[in-house]
Amino acid sequence: MNLVSLREVLEPAAEGGYAVGAFNANNMEIVQAIIEAAAEENSPVIVQASQGAIRYAGLDFIVAMVKAAAGGVKIPVVLHLDHGTDYEQVIRCIRYGFSSVMYDGSQLPLEENIAMTRRVVEIARAVGVSVEGELGKIGGTEDDVTVEEREALLTEPAEAVRFVQETEVDALAVAVGTAHGPYKFEPALDYPRLQQIKELVSASIVLHGSSGVPDEAIKKAVALGVTKFNIDTQIRQAFVQAVSAYMQANPEDIDPRKILAPGKAAAKEIIKEKMRLFGCAGKA
Ligand code: G3H
Ligand code: 13P
Ligand code: ZN
């Protein structure tokens, strides 16, 4: 199937009361794991490429791999730029065939974030590409901040209303207590804040840093209207643990195909689990 935009998978999700998984890919095995998992679960899926993925694999390889994988299945697939921070790169991604882009201006002052995100929306919308923006600072689990400091980084509901009205983004990534990378402590989500944002804002709500968020918290966030969850860390962990276990058990093996296959299988398994948890399994 041809690539589709976020709207085509997130609008049915909002109506159906479920969320769609957005999984980060950096190489062929993980692209295949994501698409095969989605096909076997009959699930819509979002494959996303970060700045690191683009540096590692190159835009042309990412697009070619995702198109090749999506071409062989009947489920809807979105190819999404994750955390784009450079306007020109966003345009390049659209030209290369991404069906969706994130412009992350969360490090900019609000006015500049709004202005830059709006510029991206104007160009993307003209060619049917969806846009995710970010407001508030999601950060990493390694960031050493106090509770008060973290609170100050969370998305302000009133600002979210203004941001969405003025930019007209399709989706909004919010900071409500999740962080990128492995958690040292169980994350505490600010549900009242999430609920307030959801009630006030028309755009789809996105949670980044969803790896390691307990299942019950994910279910609660789905019930409050989150329709896109980003997962990277748990795929990396599953992949590396399986490859490492294989290599320890087979130290003489020098065939990369045999070494990487267990990594792909483990990635596929965790992706399927997340699809069932988000409720998108069976919804393609
Ligand atoms: O949002 C962060 C993702 O986990 C991507 O990380 O830039 O190392 O690929 P990365
Ligand atoms: P995790 O690596 O914590 O799953 O976060 C992924 C993410 O938010 C990508 O944008
Ligand atoms: Zn993220």
Side-chain angles (χ1 to χ4, degrees):
M1 192 166 162
N2 286 332
L3 300 177
V4 300
S5 79
L6 276 186
R7 276 185 182 272
E8 286 161 87
V9 298
L10 297 188
E11 280 172 5
E15 278 164 33
Y18 61 92
V20 180
F23 303 99
N24 285 70
N26 293 281
N27 61 7
M28 182 190 76
E29 285 75 13
I30 294 187
V31 169
Q32 289 176 333
I34 297 167
I35 304 288
E36 285 174 25
E40 287 171 28
E41 291 294 325
N42 194 34
S43 173
V45 71
I46 302 157
V47 183
Q48 52 189 19
S50 67
Q51 295 300 307
I54 293 169
R55 275 195 301 275
Y56 177 72
L59 273 185
D60 44 359
F61 276 86
I62 290 167
V63 174
M65 288 190 294
V66 174
K67 282 194 172 168
V73 294
K74 292 199 171 68
I75 48 153
V77 178
V78 181
L79 173 55
H80 181 72
L81 169 65
D82 189 29
H83 294 286
T85 48
D86 174 36
Y87 180 75
E88 287 172 14
Q89 184 195 55
V90 168
I91 305 302
R92 256 194 315 278
C93 286
I94 295 174
R95 169 112 201 249
Y96 269 78
F98 280 58
S99 57
S100 185
V101 291
M102 175 181 190
Y103 179 75
D104 177 359
S106 62
Q107 301 300 320
L108 302 172
L110 179 64
E111 301 295 332
E112 277 176 57
N113 186 3
I114 291 176
M116 285 304 300
T117 308
R118 176 71 205 169
R119 265 180 89 190
V120 170
V121 169
E122 278 169 8
I123 201 124
R125 186 189 282 165
V127 289
V129 167
S130 48
V131 179
E132 174 181 337
E134 178 172 326
L135 191 60
K137 295 188 177 66
I138 294 162
T141 48
E142 72 287 355
D143 296 349
D144 195 15
V145 290
T146 62
V147 175
E148 294 74 31
E149 283 167 339
R150 195 171 284 287
E151 182 84 0
L153 303 175
L154 299 183
T155 307
E156 215 29 76
E159 281 185 6
V161 174
R162 183 177 163 212
F163 183 88
V164 171
Q165 269 171 358
E166 294 187 17
T167 61
E168 296 182 18
V169 284
D170 303 286
L172 178 68
V174 293
V176 291
T178 58
H180 294 113
Y183 288 99
K184 290 186 197 109
F185 306 99
E186 200 173 289
L189 268 61
D190 187 339
Y191 298 109
R193 186 183 297 266
L194 181 56
Q195 183 165 19
Q196 214 186 341
I197 295 169
K198 178 61 201 161
E199 279 166 7
L200 294 170
V201 154
S202 55
S204 303
I205 302 297
V206 184
L207 275 199
H208 284 239
S210 301
S211 289
V213 176
D215 289 2
E216 285 316 309
I218 295 282
K219 285 184 193 157
K220 213 162 161 184
V222 174
L224 290 175
V226 171
T227 50
K228 177 177 181 273
F229 288 99
N230 287 8
I231 299 279
D232 186 4
T233 296
Q234 278 186 282
I235 300 177
R236 297 179 182 203
Q237 289 168 332
F239 190 94
V240 172
Q241 275 161 19
V243 168
S244 154
Y246 180 87
M247 289 179 79
Q248 273 173 31
N250 303 276
E252 306 297 324
D253 203 332
I254 53 123
D255 185 341
R257 295 167 298 191
K258 288 191 184 155
I259 295 169
L260 295 176
K264 174 182 158 183
K268 202 166 145 179
E269 222 27 68
I270 184 75
I271 293 164
K272 286 175 146 193
E273 265 176 44
K274 295 293 178 187
M275 288 170 166
R276 289 179 220 128
L277 174 65
F278 301 152
C280 54
K283 298 294 196 320

